[in-house]
Amino acid sequence: MLNIVLFGPPGAGKGTQSAKLIEKYNLVHLSTGDIFRANIKNETELGKLAKSYIDKGQLVPDEVTIGMLADEVNKNTNAKGFIFDGFPRTQAQAEALDTLLRNKNSSITLMLALEVEEEELRKRLLLRGKDSGRADDQNPEIIQNRINVYNAETTPVKDFYQNQGKYKGINGIGEIETIFEALCTAIDTNK
Ligand code: AMP
């Protein structure tokens, strides 16, 4: 299996690049943010719970997020591999993902981290807020809160994969195609 963690702060381009990578490598895209938004749209209990955190720019609690992600992985029994987009965002999530994959005799192949500085993220997110209508992209305070949460709670996840020799940083600024090529090179040289 080819299992990629596509990592990076909000607005780094994870969704855009995931869409291209799943097509090229025939992988299943699991974006926890997308799954939460689908649940909010369908007004499920999970959606109601997630919304109360997402609207403030906070992380949804680990138990809820890990359980949901595990269900999605288990649903896709025939997958050739996964792109994990927006997950793991905490050390506990990273550990849970390792255990989940180990129980399937699999593991994370590589963490690809899109690197974009904060000022550029703020610009991109506000722009996306105008186009997508995503409420959490429209308010500068919520955007800043998400960036702060990323710096405080999510950055340590890098070390988790670096300690396993699986971390690779990729410049996330530039043309979409150029960034995509850099991601593909990192994947292909790792095979
Ligand atoms: P995203 O679309 O990845 O930017 O996620 C949007 C929001 O969903 C985040 O700001 C969090 O509130 C929530 N979320 C998404 N993924 C996770 C996760 N792995 N752990 C906790 N909360 C998450």
Side-chain angles (χ1 to χ4, degrees):
M1 276 180 116
L2 176 63
N3 293 314
I4 308 282
V5 171
L6 191 56
F7 192 75
K14 301 187 293 294
T16 305
Q17 296 295 339
S18 291
K20 295 171 74 66
L21 289 168
I22 52 163
E23 207 174 303
K24 171 155 179 177
Y25 293 98
N26 198 9
L27 305 172
V28 172
H29 180 203
L30 290 185
S31 156
T32 40
D34 283 354
I35 304 167
F36 284 135
R37 281 185 288 278
N39 275 277
I40 292 171
K41 201 169 160 211
N42 294 328
E43 298 180 349
T44 67
E45 284 306 313
L46 174 66
K48 277 181 217 157
L49 178 85
K51 191 176 185 320
S52 63
Y53 294 93
I54 293 174
D55 281 354
K56 294 186 216 132
Q58 294 170 352
L59 293 184
V60 178
D62 278 340
E63 318 82 79
V64 178
T65 309
I66 291 168
M68 178 183 85
L69 190 276
D71 287 348
E72 292 295 324
V73 170
N74 291 333
K75 264 189 222 165
N76 285 282
T77 41
N78 294 324
K80 286 178 63 187
F82 295 93
I83 300 242
F84 298 98
D85 161 5
F87 184 95
R89 263 172 152 104
T90 63
Q91 170 93 12
Q93 292 181 15
E95 285 167 7
L97 182 58
D98 264 12
T99 306
L100 178 69
L101 293 176
R102 200 177 311 121
N103 289 338
K104 298 181 181 301
N105 291 320
S106 190
S107 61
I108 289 298
T109 314
L110 201 57
M111 171 201 249
L112 297 169
L114 291 170
E115 291 162 352
V116 178
E117 75 257 9
E118 276 195 33
E119 191 46 43
E120 173 72 12
L121 296 174
R122 281 191 280 270
K123 262 194 257 165
R124 286 189 189 180
L125 289 169
L126 279 171
L127 205 64
R128 186 169 77 183
K130 279 189 199 139
D131 294 340
S132 71
R134 260 181 72 168
D136 60 344
D137 283 341
Q138 293 182 13
N139 179 326
E141 271 171 38
I142 293 173
I143 288 177
Q144 192 55 51
N145 200 24
R146 285 158 66 205
I147 294 173
N148 295 346
V149 166
Y150 174 82
N151 289 336
E153 294 179 56
T154 305
T155 313
V157 175
K158 267 187 204 174
D159 298 338
F160 182 86
Y161 291 101
Q162 198 145 35
N163 291 339
Q164 297 184 10
K166 294 179 175 174
Y167 168 83
K168 179 102 182 72
I170 303 282
N171 179 10
I173 299 204
E175 296 291 325
I176 289 173
E177 264 326 301
T178 314
I179 300 166
F180 179 59
E181 276 163 28
L183 290 168
C184 293
T185 303
I187 293 171
D188 296 340
T189 52
N190 197 264
K191 272 183 184 164

